[in-house]
Amino acid sequence: QVHLEESGGGSVQSGGSLRLACVGSGFPFRDYCMGWFRRAPGKELEGVAATDSSGDTTYTDPGKGRFTISRDNAKNTVFLEMNSLRPEDTAMYYCAALGVGCRLEEAYWGQGTQVTVSS
């Protein structure tokens, strides 16, 4: 059974940093594309960053230049380092296992971790 557990969320002031972590189990972690998504209050789910099995990374505009996704396959963990946080980054952040082909349709989801950025 696939299980994803996020941690590392919290409340920070604008300009601060947080490091999110997501531990996966029940699937071949090193073979899977992993991603981070977020949902802000009243808004739709949006992708933030993803890393494939080779360690290649992609980012969407909100996180470019400020967020870094990385993975430790030995620990079945994917990280999201977030710097220069802004109030508009306030959201529930979700980890997703996106299958071998980085397909959202194949995603398994964690429960999420809340990030709150105050001005």
Side-chain angles (χ1 to χ4, degrees):
Q1 183 177 356
V2 174
H3 183 70
L4 298 167
E5 185 163 352
E6 301 98 334
S7 62
S11 297
V12 296
Q13 290 190 327
S14 182
S17 299
L18 285 172
R19 189 190 196 204
L20 308 183
C22 171
V23 179
S25 61
F27 63 99
F29 184 91
R30 63 177 63 249
D31 295 331
Y32 268 46
C33 180
M34 299 296 297
W36 285 97
F37 295 75
R38 69 185 188 184
R39 179 181 281 122
K43 296 188 177 181
E44 295 187 353
L45 187 71
E46 67 174 343
V48 174
T51 176
D52 65 15
S53 60
S54 299
D56 292 336
T57 59
T58 59
Y59 298 90
T60 60
D61 285 343
K64 285 180 179 178
R66 298 186 300 127
F67 296 175
T68 303
I69 188 171
S70 61
R71 64 192 298 159
D72 183 341
N73 290 334
K75 296 182 178 180
N76 283 9
T77 304
V78 60
F79 302 96
L80 184 68
E81 182 79 32
M82 304 187 295
N83 298 311
S84 302
L85 283 163
R86 306 164 180 165
E88 53 264 40
D89 294 317
T90 295
M92 185 70 80
Y93 283 71
Y94 298 92
C95 170
L98 301 169
V100 175
C102 290
R103 293 172 57 84
L104 190 60
E105 297 82 357
E106 300 177 359
Y108 295 96
W109 298 93
Q111 294 298 307
T113 185
Q114 177 68 39
V115 171
T116 302
V117 184
S118 59
S119 58

